[in-house]
């Protein structure tokens, strides 16, 4: 295990590893160690000491922190100034059965976003600048500390979602935004998934500016700690956020104009700001999903979500939670088999991608965790990997490349 | 300005290359005559001109792939061009290169409301996308000032911005997918109507790559429902400092306006003379703040902003009482560039971004530089996101003035970097700011960017001479320690 205390020591460690072609598993909090292809490396590079906020100026709407700063510390610091990371960074520790603490760098390296992603953008959209060390042991920077910048290639985008296979992040700068003053959630109970997604699709075409649109199957609502949701059957949930007067006005429009369209005879309820926070935390962190079995996360065009879900449900014993107005499917499959063939076939002709989020290490060696790419794209990805890490020392095999 | 040494061998085979391209494209789509090529000699950065070796105008992805393969076979460089509105010389031709005009890709292919997306060919104008969906209450958010003509493909290449970026993002935050052709002729598709990437975010890195990585042949963008209401406030201040303080307090109060624009006195006077928008002529600076959302939200937030303006000593506050009045407030700002064009024979538009709190310091320093170079300057500022556009006034017919304007501009950009900002917020590096890249990036930073370039285009045939101050061969970049300055460039003639 290598445990650099500074960016300079990280660079030294990587220079040595490059020279000796020693493969490294890059780890910070370790909460997502089980996410990705199972491909152990020779040595663990533990960067968790690179922690702490470097610069936070609320009026500039940016925060700069060392990459392994725990997400919880960042959130607490921003909350003190009524700000937040608008992409709603999830914490998959419980989902992945880890007791590690999610970090800012890990969240970016996996490009993980929560329910608000549909409107506010992904982690990568808030990633403004970075310092990192490449697989050559060279320290480089990209981007900046301002919210609008087109100087040079946008390497922040490329490193977001690269799972530490291109470079080791040492310092990151993110855009922050004011946290909403108020929020509420409307629940429609008992809709079928198809009807629910159709209704959510209509809502996305209104000017109600809805920041969360999800459908929870009855079996999974049992895992909620929010009493209005727990064991109440299928729940279709819609979140409104903003200044109090605006939330109230939009809630009224939703009641007057849209609840009738949700279907006759369905009960509805409304969650207050605390319950809203708790419920969407559960959805975003995957806490409603079963603690055992296989989990897939599938991103498809929202209007295709129901079709993909029906194809899977016909063939597998599974529970499917819809987020992003139908564009994100969390599929919980019973048993140990990843059932990769069924899942990939289900979304084959509609674009999008499926990620095997949770499965045994053996399953994550046996089948591709990430969406396989067409040859030209796979070859390009390989060349990009070589451009950053020619000796293949960083998390080798964790992605496809 | 140094560009790659013209390749005499390619220039010598021009006729042969034209014939090879005419086997792929209709004869009329390969332009070789001087008069035909002339319209392509410059883009929005008109100080630079260069006739292309020839111009190719493909209209299908297969044709683009075939043209690139032929160019690769001839060793000919390729400069992609959308509508030619780049303000950084991103589409400046090369004398030994093929200018690849994408204007014939002019169709919107699909409007998909259920997936809130539009699929368009790259030559479609930015505003045409909004026009196609506005009847259903939707729009495409990024709105660069050239949006009537600038192409969506060019927007992707340059990661174009506009006046609503703080709230609604830049092009990169609004593009869902592209089809693109690599210099090898391989066609790739990344993204689509779904969100995020299943592998490396190639979409993210193509966006803003200034035509150096691939040729965009199709674009999928997200469309947004237009907010129900928008209200604008026109606020006058006795000092730039007071205006800057107002901006800081608006954001500190948790308000993200749809748009927030600052103009200094020279810009206000030029715009008012041109558009009669009703700007206060005694103010040292004005702010236009637009609040959008539900009627109750726009109402309440404009009251809060009005209170903040009062608290920092604004000299005047007007809230738009109607949509017509709101558009009048914007009219002057949107016409600021042509308005400045009326008070000087030529102007040179700069594009740095700075931390907002540095605005008074930067404007003071810009004023000092204005005296030093004996050239006037008017400043418009996307106050929400810190993107500063000083417009340097000069007369290209006076010997030495263009050179002085460029030196002035370079000093402004160095200043932006020095106070913690960046060289370009939305116009791109292009040829214009290429040689300033070392102000912001070290050798290792630039080497890593160029290695990425090599992964897409190993021969460096796509748009060379842009973005990077020094061209490296890809093999050189393979070494850990990069040696600089080994490639010689020739002078580009300047008119």
């Amino acid at each position: 295990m290598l445990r650099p205390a500074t960016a300079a020591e990280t660079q030294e460690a990587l220079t040595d590893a490059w020279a000796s072609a020693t493969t490294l598993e890059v780890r910070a909090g370790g909460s997502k160690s089980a996410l990705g292809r199972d491909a152990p490396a020779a040595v663990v590079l533990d960067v968790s000491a690179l922690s702490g906020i470097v610069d936070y100026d609320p009026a500039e709407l940016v925060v700069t922190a060392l990459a392994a700063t725990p997400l919880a510390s960042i959130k607490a610091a921003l909350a003190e100034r009524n700000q937040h990371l608008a992409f709603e960074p999830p914490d998959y520790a419980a989902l992945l059965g880890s007791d590690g603490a999610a970090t800012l760098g890990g969240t970016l390296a996996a490009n993980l976003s929560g329910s608000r992603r549909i409107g506010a953008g992904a982690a990568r959209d808030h990633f403004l600048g970075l310092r990192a060390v490449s697989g050559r042991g060279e320290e480089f920077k990209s981007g900046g500390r301002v919210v609008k910048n087109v100087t040079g290639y946008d390497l922040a985008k490329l490193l977001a979602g690269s799972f530490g296979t291109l470079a080791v992040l040492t310092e990151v700068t993110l855009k922050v935004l004011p946290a909403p003053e108020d929020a509420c959630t409307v629940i429609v109970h008992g809709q079928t998934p198809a009807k629910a997604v159709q209704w959510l699709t209509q809502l996305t075409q209104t000017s109600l500016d809805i920041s969360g649109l999800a459908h929870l199957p009855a079996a999974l609502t049992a895992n909620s700690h929010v009493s209005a949701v727990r064991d109440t059957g299928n729940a279709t949930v819609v979140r409104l956020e903003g200044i109090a007067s605006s939330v109230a006005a939009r809630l009224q429009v939703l009641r007057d104009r849209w609840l009738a369209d949700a279907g006759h005879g369905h009960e509805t309820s409304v969650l207050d700001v605390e319950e809203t926070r708790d419920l969407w935390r559960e959805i975003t962190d995957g806490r409603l999903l079963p603690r055992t079995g296989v989990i897939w996360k599938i991103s498809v065009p929202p209007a295709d979500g129901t079709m993909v879900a029906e194809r899977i449900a016909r063939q597998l014993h599974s529970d499917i939670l819809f987020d992003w107005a139908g564009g994100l499917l969390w599929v919980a499959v019973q048993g140990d088999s990843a059932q990769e063939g069924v899942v990939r076939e289900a979304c084959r002709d509609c674009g999008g991608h499926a990620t095997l989020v949770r499965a045994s290490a053996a399953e994550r060696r046996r089948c591709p965790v990430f969406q396989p790419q067409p040859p030209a794209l796979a070859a390009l990805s390989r060349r990009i990997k070589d451009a950053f890490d020619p000796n293949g020392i960083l998390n080798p095999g964790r992605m496809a490349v | 300005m140094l560009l790659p040494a013209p390749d005499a061998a390619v220039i010598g085979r021009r006729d042969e290359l034209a014939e090879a391209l005419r086997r792929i494209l209709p004869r009329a789509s390969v332009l070789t005559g001087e008069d035909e090529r002339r319209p392509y000699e410059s883009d929005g950065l008109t100080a630079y001109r260069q006739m292309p070796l020839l111009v190719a105008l493909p209209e299908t992805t297969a044709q683009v792939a075939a043209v690139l393969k032929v160019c690769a076979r001839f060793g000919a460089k390729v400069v992609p061009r959308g509508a030619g509105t780049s303000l950084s010389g991103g589409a400046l031709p090369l004398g030994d290169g093929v200018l690849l005009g994408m204007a014939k890709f002019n169709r919107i292919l699909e409007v998909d409301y259920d997936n809130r997306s539009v699929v368009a060919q790259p030559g479609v104008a930015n505003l045409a996308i909004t026009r196609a969906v506005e009847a259903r209450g939707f729009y495409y958010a990024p709105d660069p000032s050239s949006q009537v003509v600038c192409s969506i493909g060019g927007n992707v290449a340059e990661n174009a911005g506009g006046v609503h970026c703080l709230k609604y993002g830049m092009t990169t935050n609004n593009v869902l997918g592209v089809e693109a052709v690599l210099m090898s002729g391989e066609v790739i598709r990344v993204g689509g109507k779904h969100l995020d990437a299943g592998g490396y975010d190639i979409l993210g890195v193509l966006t803003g790559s200034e035509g150096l990585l691939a040729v965009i042949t199709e674009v999928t963008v997200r469309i947004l429902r237009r907010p129900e209401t928008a209200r604008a406030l026109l606020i006058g201040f006795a000092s730039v400092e007071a205006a800057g303080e107002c901006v800081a307090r608006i954001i500190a109060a948790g308000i993200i306006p749809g748009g927030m624009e600052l103009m200094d006195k020279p810009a206000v006077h030029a715009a008012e003379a041109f558009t009669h928008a009703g700007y206060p002529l005694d103010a040292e600076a004005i702010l236009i703040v637009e609040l959008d959302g539900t009627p109750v939200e726009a109402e309440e937030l404009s009251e809060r902003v009005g209170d903040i303006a009062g608290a920092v000593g604004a000299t005047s506050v007007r809230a738009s009482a109607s949509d017509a009045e709101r558009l009048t407030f914007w009219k002057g700002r949107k016409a600021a560039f042509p308005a400045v064009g009326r008070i000087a024979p030529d102007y040179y538009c700069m594009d740095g971004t700075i931390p907002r709190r540095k605005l008074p310091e930067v404007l003071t320093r810009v004023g000092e530089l204005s005296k030093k170079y004996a050239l006037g300057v008017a400043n418009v500022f996307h106050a929400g996101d810190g993107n500063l556009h000083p417009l340097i006034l000069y007369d290209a017919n006076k010997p030495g003035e263009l050179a002085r304007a460029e030196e002035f501009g370079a000093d402004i950009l160095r200043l932006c970097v020095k106070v913690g900002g960046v060289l370009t917020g939305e116009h791109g590096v292009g040829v214009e700011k290429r040689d300033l890249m070392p102000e912001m990036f070290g050798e290792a930073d630039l080497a890593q960017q160029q290695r990425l370039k090599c992964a897409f285009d190993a021969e460096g045939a796509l748009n060379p001479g842009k973005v990077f101050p020094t061209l490296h061969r890809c093999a050189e970049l393979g070494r850990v320690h990069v040696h600089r300055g080994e490639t010689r460039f020739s002078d580009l003639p300047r008119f």
Side-chain angles (χ1 to χ4, degrees):
Chain A
M1 160 114 53
L2 296 168
R3 208 168 178 283
T6 61
E9 286 184 21
T10 308
Q11 184 181 5
E12 280 171 35
L14 283 167
T15 303
D16 290 348
W18 172 79
S20 59
T22 305
T23 58
L24 301 173
E25 180 193 334
V26 187
R27 184 189 295 181
S31 69
K32 292 179 280 294
S33 290
L35 181 54
R37 224 178 125 248
D38 183 60
V43 175
V44 170
L45 177 71
D46 177 354
V47 294
S48 57
L50 305 181
S51 175
I53 293 175
V54 176
D55 185 29
Y56 171 39
D57 185 342
E60 297 294 332
L61 299 175
V62 293
V63 62
T64 300
L66 298 182
T69 307
L71 211 43
S73 323
I74 294 282
K75 285 183 182 174
L78 299 184
E80 273 183 35
R81 308 300 297 263
N82 297 318
Q83 294 189 335
H84 72 157
L85 295 168
F87 60 93
E88 213 170 358
D91 181 348
Y92 287 173
L95 176 68
L96 295 170
S98 161
D99 54 10
T103 64
L104 198 53
T107 303
L108 293 168
N111 189 30
L112 297 180
S113 323
S115 299
R116 212 183 279 117
R117 194 253 175 273
I118 187 171
R124 54 90 97 172
D125 292 298
H126 298 77
F127 190 11
L128 300 174
L130 60 93
R131 286 180 176 278
V133 184
S134 74
R136 284 183 173 79
E138 288 180 331
E139 189 177 35
F140 64 94
K141 64 178 178 297
S142 178
R145 289 185 182 182
V146 289
V147 295
K148 194 173 182 188
N149 175 21
V150 296
T151 319
Y153 298 136
D154 194 348
L155 299 186
K157 297 280 187 304
L158 191 62
L159 295 193
S162 69
F163 283 83
T165 61
L166 299 179
V168 178
L169 295 169
T170 55
E171 184 185 289
V172 295
T173 296
L174 285 96
K175 176 180 176 178
V176 301
L177 284 169
E181 292 174 10
D182 193 16
C184 74
T185 298
V186 174
I187 308 173
V188 176
H189 301 279
Q191 279 183 313
T192 64
K195 176 69 190 165
V197 170
Q198 197 185 11
W199 183 61
L200 295 176
T201 300
Q202 287 176 349
L203 290 180
T204 61
Q205 295 174 49
T206 68
S207 49
L208 288 170
D209 194 19
I210 298 169
S211 69
L213 307 104
H215 176 76
L216 323 174
L220 298 186
T221 61
N223 299 326
S224 177
H225 291 86
V226 178
S227 57
V229 172
R230 187 169 56 239
D231 291 327
T232 58
N234 289 353
T236 310
V237 290
V238 169
R239 177 174 62 185
L240 298 170
E241 295 177 301
I243 60 172
S245 59
S246 172
V247 169
R250 286 180 288 149
L251 176 60
Q252 197 58 47
V253 174
L254 194 59
R255 279 182 162 138
D256 294 347
R257 296 230 306 257
W258 293 101
L259 281 183
D261 284 4
H264 291 293
H266 292 300
E267 274 186 49
T268 61
S269 33
V270 178
L271 301 183
D272 66 15
V273 63
E274 273 88 30
E275 292 167 320
T276 293
R277 188 193 56 219
D278 294 346
L279 176 65
W280 290 92
R281 193 77 264 155
E282 289 179 339
I283 296 171
T284 281
D285 292 349
R287 287 171 182 271
L288 298 180
L289 301 165
R291 288 305 172 94
T292 59
V294 165
I295 304 287
W296 284 89
K297 187 178 171 187
I298 307 176
S299 175
V300 291
D304 290 336
T306 311
M307 178 189 72
V308 172
E310 282 169 358
R311 287 175 178 172
I312 293 171
R314 270 200 296 273
Q315 297 182 65
L316 301 177
H317 289 290
S318 57
D319 291 301
I320 301 178
L321 186 156
F322 298 81
D323 200 351
W324 302 355
L328 177 67
L329 277 58
W330 284 101
V331 181
V333 183
Q334 293 176 21
D336 297 331
S337 167
Q339 303 285 358
E340 193 221 0
V342 174
V343 171
R344 297 220 186 274
E345 181 61 26
C347 47
R348 191 172 57 87
D349 53 359
C350 62
H353 51 95
T355 305
L356 179 56
V357 171
R358 188 176 74 197
S360 67
E363 282 296 89
R364 288 182 291 111
R365 277 193 301 276
R366 193 183 61 76
C367 63
V369 164
F370 299 97
Q371 186 73 25
Q373 295 179 314
L377 205 52
L380 177 60
S381 298
R382 179 80 244 171
R383 295 196 298 274
I384 291 171
K385 165 78 172 169
D386 290 344
F388 284 81
D389 178 24
N391 286 355
I393 60 169
L394 295 173
N395 283 349
R398 180 134 184 206
M399 295 183 84
V401 289
Chain B
M1 177 57 61
L2 299 164
L3 282 184
D7 186 333
V10 171
I11 295 172
R13 294 175 72 194
R14 191 177 90 125
D15 293 346
E16 209 185 319
L17 176 58
E19 274 319 301
L21 293 175
R22 284 182 174 132
R23 283 195 283 276
I24 301 163
L25 304 175
R27 294 193 76 77
S29 297
V30 181
L31 311 182
T32 53
E34 180 157 349
D35 290 351
E36 295 175 304
R37 287 180 292 143
R38 184 67 67 191
Y40 297 91
E41 69 174 350
S42 183
D43 59 14
L45 186 67
T46 50
Y48 297 106
R49 288 172 200 281
Q50 168 66 49
M51 284 284 270
L53 183 65
L54 49 82
V55 177
L57 302 172
E59 50 197 296
T60 67
T61 302
Q63 287 176 350
V64 171
V67 166
L68 293 184
K69 276 187 197 166
V70 164
C71 289
R73 201 172 75 226
F74 277 78
K77 304 172 180 96
V78 176
V79 176
R81 175 185 167 113
T85 56
S86 169
L87 292 171
S88 57
L92 181 71
L94 293 166
D96 60 343
V98 172
L99 192 286
L100 190 70
M102 298 299 285
K104 292 189 180 224
F105 283 82
N106 58 4
R107 285 182 302 128
I108 288 180
L109 300 175
E110 191 190 352
V111 175
D112 181 347
Y113 293 106
D114 280 353
N115 288 312
R116 279 89 59 202
S117 57
V118 168
V119 184
Q121 292 189 319
V124 169
N126 169 297
L127 191 60
I129 295 177
T130 291
R131 291 281 178 260
V133 297
E134 64 189 355
R136 288 269 298 261
F138 283 84
Y139 74 115
Y140 174 63
D143 58 346
S145 58
S146 55
Q147 69 180 142
V148 177
V149 286
C150 66
S151 72
I152 190 67
N155 287 180
V156 172
E158 298 289 328
N159 190 12
V163 298
H164 296 97
C165 291
L166 181 63
K167 188 164 180 184
Y168 297 105
M170 305 192 39
T171 301
T172 191
N173 312 114
N174 288 278
V175 172
L176 295 170
V178 295
E179 178 191 77
V181 186
L182 305 182
M183 199 57 215
S184 62
E186 289 170 293
V187 180
I188 58 170
R189 296 188 69 90
V190 290
K193 293 175 185 174
H194 59 277
L195 297 174
D196 299 335
Y200 292 147
D201 188 356
I202 288 165
L203 173 63
V205 84
L206 282 178
T207 308
S209 63
E210 305 198 18
L212 270 73
L213 300 184
V215 178
I216 311 286
T217 50
E218 188 190 291
V219 181
T220 303
V221 298
R222 73 166 180 163
I223 49 171
L224 302 177
R225 182 68 194 238
R226 201 175 275 289
E228 255 183 284
T229 359
R231 291 194 78 178
L233 284 91
L234 177 65
I235 311 169
F237 298 91
S239 69
V240 169
E241 283 80 2
E245 179 63 20
C246 189
V247 169
R249 290 207 198 174
I250 289 170
I251 286 170
I255 300 169
I256 299 294
M260 182 154 56
E261 294 291 309
L262 187 151
M263 296 164 75
D264 72 358
K265 194 167 194 171
V268 167
H269 277 247
E272 182 61 22
F274 187 41
T275 63
H276 311 293
Y279 291 167
L281 293 173
D282 57 336
E284 285 299 316
I286 66 160
L287 263 187
I288 304 170
V289 185
E290 182 164 294
L291 292 317
D292 57 16
T294 56
V296 60
E297 183 171 5
E299 176 77 19
E300 182 172 332
L301 292 182
S302 54
E303 272 171 31
R304 288 194 204 176
V305 169
D307 291 347
I308 291 168
V312 299
T315 50
S316 64
V317 181
R318 277 173 62 197
S320 63
S322 66
D323 222 39
E325 189 174 19
R326 177 180 70 85
L327 294 173
T328 307
F329 289 177
W330 277 110
K331 201 166 123 198
R333 167 60 190 91
K334 293 214 166 179
F337 292 13
V340 165
R342 294 200 337 157
I343 59 171
D346 298 283
Y347 68 89
Y348 184 37
C349 175
M350 307 312 296
D351 172 47
T353 302
I354 55 173
R356 279 181 221 87
R357 65 173 178 273
K358 299 286 187 181
L359 181 70
E361 176 188 335
V362 168
L363 289 190
T364 301
R365 186 76 191 111
V366 167
E368 290 164 11
L369 288 168
S370 168
K371 289 198 187 77
K372 176 183 160 189
Y373 286 102
L375 294 173
V377 65
N379 291 287
V380 299
F381 184 56
H382 299 309
D385 48 41
N387 189 194
L388 180 63
H389 293 311
L391 303 165
I392 299 171
L393 314 178
Y394 72 101
D395 182 348
N397 289 326
K398 289 190 185 158
E401 281 219 348
L402 170 60
R404 245 173 38 235
E406 288 184 325
E407 281 171 40
F408 183 3
D411 276 354
I412 292 175
L413 295 183
R414 286 190 192 101
L415 174 64
C416 290
V417 173
K418 199 174 138 211
V419 300
V422 299
L423 292 173
T424 171
E426 57 184 356
H427 294 172
V429 176
V431 290
E432 185 204 19
K433 292 169 279 267
R434 187 193 72 179
D435 293 339
L436 291 169
M437 285 289 269
E439 298 287 332
M440 197 171 141
F441 294 116
E443 205 168 329
D445 307 332
L446 291 171
Q448 192 51 58
Q449 295 201 28
Q450 292 189 65
R451 286 193 193 100
L452 180 67
K453 159 79 169 168
C454 293
F456 283 82
D457 172 25
E459 300 300 322
L462 259 180
N463 219 5
K466 318 288 166 65
V467 182
F468 297 112
T470 310
L471 286 180
H472 292 285
R473 294 190 189 85
C474 289
E476 280 174 43
L477 288 160
R479 301 179 202 152
V480 174
H481 299 291
V482 181
H483 300 283
R484 308 184 68 182
E486 291 174 1
T487 313
R488 301 295 306 166
F489 305 127
S490 73
D491 271 338
L492 174 83
R494 189 184 286 164
F495 299 91

